[in-house]
Amino acid sequence: MRTPLIAGNWKMNGLADAATVLAGQVVDAVSAVDGVDIVVCPPACHLERVATAIAGSNVALGAQNCAEVPLGARTGEVATEMLADLGARYVIVGHSERRQFYAETDELIAQRFQYALGAGLRPILCVGETLEARESGQTEAVIAAQVDAVKTVLGESGFGDGIIAYEPVWAIGTGRTASADQAQAVHAFIRERVSADLRILYGGSMNAENAESLLDMPDVDGGLIGGASLKADAFAAICAAARQ
Ligand code: PEP
């Protein structure tokens, strides 16, 4: 049985006080939701205060990125050991904004995935095709390369406790969601390449209105939520929709 997982990616939003307030609102809004793993991923500079705000609740802490090397000389980076030390249990790797704006490659992302597992974190590997790739029939080739990069670094069964988030780039922050059938088709394709136990989330303009139809699909095990995770009520409604 795969426990549903809903993770909020707050991206680079909110100053310190706003992060504390939002964390408290999320804790209150989801307190009655059981049977769902619930995660918030604030900016790195807010991890500690959010850890304090969610302590003792059913909300876990995640980070948005991590380094691919151990503690040491990497100016500006945050090591997986540091994230674990702050109480993080999850970390997003390879978000399409990192691939697009910071030229992160499949190989680098696979190494981050490996280090995250090594530090006892659950990495959430983001994969997804651009609109151009979809329209030229390249969706499966792109996804296969992104997933297989982790296998190259870690071996066939190397996903461990990790998670995959299918996030079509054309659906992120655009208000244009993949249909439930489109999402299911790609999730089933990913499922064939990984173990039956691995959780595969959908991400891309998921909101309180469309969550149920996406989460009803057999291979959609949860969601990675951007914009809607910044409103506690909307995020809580998605968490409730994921309840088994
Ligand atoms: C994301 O950035 O991971 C995401 C899914 O964003 P949004 O929900 O805003 O499309």
Side-chain angles (χ1 to χ4, degrees), residues 7-11 92 95-97 126 165-169 171-177 202-207 223-229 238:
N9 174 12
W10 293 2
K11 307 196 185 189
I92 298 169
H95 190 279
S96 67
E97 288 154 13
C126 298
Y166 168 55
E167 299 209 300
V169 177
I172 295 180
T174 60
R176 184 178 168 190
T177 316
Y202 169 79
S205 298
M206 192 189 272
N207 56 39
L224 180 56
I225 319 298
S229 73
I238 298 169

Side-chain angles (χ1 to χ4, degrees), residues 141-216:
V142 170
I143 303 291
Q146 293 171 338
V147 171
D148 290 353
V150 170
K151 291 189 190 176
T152 302
V153 171
L154 282 147
E156 274 296 317
S157 55
F159 282 92
D161 273 347
I163 293 144
I164 293 180
Y166 168 55
E167 299 209 300
V169 177
W170 47 272
I172 295 180
T174 60
R176 184 178 168 190
T177 316
S179 69
D181 287 340
Q182 282 174 323
Q184 170 57 27
V186 178
H187 281 230
F189 174 76
I190 296 171
R191 175 84 59 215
E192 283 171 15
R193 310 186 83 78
V194 297
S195 92
D197 300 338
L198 196 100
R199 289 183 287 184
I200 306 174
L201 316 182
Y202 169 79
S205 298
M206 192 189 272
N207 56 39
E209 287 71 44
N210 60 30
E212 200 171 329
S213 66
L214 288 156
L215 294 166
D216 265 357

Side-chain angles (χ1 to χ4, degrees), residues 129-142 170:
E129 79 287 3
T130 60
L131 189 57
E132 193 186 8
R134 174 162 281 266
E135 288 179 344
S136 60
Q138 293 301 304
T139 298
E140 292 191 349
V142 170
W170 47 272

Side-chain angles (χ1 to χ4, degrees), residues 1-194:
M1 176 71 85
R2 301 185 297 263
T3 304
L5 191 159
I6 301 294
N9 174 12
W10 293 2
K11 307 196 185 189
M12 198 173 69
N13 288 296
L15 301 183
D17 286 349
T20 307
V21 169
L22 178 58
Q25 289 172 339
V26 169
V27 165
D28 290 344
V30 303
S31 62
V33 179
D34 53 11
V36 180
D37 289 342
I38 301 171
V39 183
V40 291
C41 303
C45 57
H46 300 330
L47 281 168
E48 194 161 9
R49 65 178 53 239
V50 171
T52 303
I54 64 177
S57 78
N58 59 341
V59 181
L61 188 66
Q64 297 177 14
N65 194 18
C66 64
E68 68 284 5
V69 288
L71 297 165
R74 285 297 165 105
T75 303
E77 293 297 311
V78 181
T80 52
E81 295 92 328
M82 293 167 170
L83 298 176
D85 191 38
L86 284 172
R89 290 167 49 204
Y90 296 80
V91 59
I92 298 169
V93 296
H95 190 279
S96 67
E97 288 154 13
R98 305 280 330 161
R99 295 176 188 264
Q100 181 185 353
F101 298 122
Y102 300 97
E104 289 188 3
T105 62
D106 289 341
E107 291 67 31
L108 175 81
I109 292 159
Q111 285 160 6
R112 291 185 170 173
F113 192 97
Q114 180 181 33
Y115 266 85
L117 284 178
L121 300 170
R122 291 193 162 139
I124 303 174
L125 170 72
C126 298
V127 299
E129 79 287 3
T130 60
L131 189 57
E132 193 186 8
R134 174 162 281 266
E135 288 179 344
S136 60
Q138 293 301 304
T139 298
E140 292 191 349
V142 170
I143 303 291
Q146 293 171 338
V147 171
D148 290 353
V150 170
K151 291 189 190 176
T152 302
V153 171
L154 282 147
E156 274 296 317
S157 55
F159 282 92
D161 273 347
I163 293 144
I164 293 180
Y166 168 55
E167 299 209 300
V169 177
W170 47 272
I172 295 180
T174 60
R176 184 178 168 190
T177 316
S179 69
D181 287 340
Q182 282 174 323
Q184 170 57 27
V186 178
H187 281 230
F189 174 76
I190 296 171
R191 175 84 59 215
E192 283 171 15
R193 310 186 83 78
V194 297

